[in-house]
Amino acid sequence: MEKSKDRPKILIIHGPNLNMLGKREADIYGKSTLDEINADLIKTGENARLSVETFQSNHEGAIVEKIQQAVEKHSGLIINPAALTHTSIAIRDALLLLDIPIIELHISNIYKREPFRHTSMISDVATAIIAGFGASGYTMALEAIIMMIRSDIPRHEL
């Protein structure tokens, strides 16, 4: 049996207020809780013979430190920076340290919302962006990361 420490590791980072999923603005963010989303992602990862690590913080510095810790430890990153999407150059700069596929994820379609949400500080350093699919966007992102890390396509061509 393959040990989980030998499996590719995927890091999933959830930004500010995502710990309140299922309690806030269900018309925008749905009714799934972060614990439910994480459990589904971990199970999907196990089925795909991957290790999935999830992390949530309401603090920009903690997110930056988690990204820095991912260097040479993870095969892919999915990040929903939430409100920090629109403001955090620090998160953007930390992502530049990584040479792995990065998927920027948003539960809502940020381009159909308020104009200030249309600007992302990290889109230009992400490999791909998934937005507007609700909580199922996380599963889509994980499936995309799996495809990316198991393909022979160099990162710069993704």
Side-chain angles (χ1 to χ4, degrees):
M1 181 173 175
E2 182 183 15
K3 296 178 185 174
S4 63
K5 69 178 184 173
D6 299 328
R7 296 177 176 188
K9 294 176 178 69
I10 306 301
L11 176 60
I12 301 172
I13 296 177
H14 309 283
N17 296 312
L18 293 173
N19 57 310
M20 300 306 291
L21 287 174
K23 296 177 183 154
R24 65 181 280 242
E25 300 175 281
D27 57 320
I28 295 173
Y29 300 108
K31 295 184 181 187
S32 297
T33 67
L34 188 59
D35 287 341
E36 291 168 342
I37 291 168
N38 285 339
D40 288 344
L41 292 167
I42 290 167
K43 183 176 181 176
T44 299
E46 288 172 358
N47 291 340
R49 303 177 96 70
L50 299 170
S51 294
V52 172
E53 176 184 355
T54 63
F55 175 79
Q56 188 278 327
S57 181
N58 293 318
H59 306 283
E60 181 180 31
I63 293 170
V64 168
E65 289 174 351
K66 194 66 175 178
I67 293 167
Q68 291 172 352
Q69 293 168 6
V71 175
E72 298 183 18
K73 292 182 182 175
H74 291 85
S75 302
L77 171 71
I78 297 167
I79 182 167
N80 182 344
L84 294 173
T85 301
H86 320 292
T87 61
S88 183
I89 295 168
I91 289 174
R92 181 192 187 282
D93 288 350
L95 292 171
L96 289 170
L97 295 168
L98 303 178
D99 189 25
I100 58 176
I102 300 167
I103 295 182
E104 175 184 355
L105 172 73
H106 301 284
I107 294 170
S108 68
N109 182 347
I110 61 173
Y111 301 102
K112 289 184 76 173
R113 297 188 63 194
E114 305 92 339
F116 69 87
R117 295 186 195 274
H118 299 182
T119 299
S120 169
M121 293 292 178
I122 69 165
S123 290
D124 68 320
V125 299
T127 309
I129 303 163
I130 295 175
F133 290 96
S136 64
Y138 281 101
T139 303
M140 295 169 70
L142 184 55
E143 289 171 355
I145 284 277
I146 293 167
M147 180 191 70
M148 290 175 188
I149 66 173
R150 292 195 172 146
S151 74
D152 294 326
I153 303 169
R155 184 182 185 282
H156 68 276
E157 291 181 16
L158 291 173

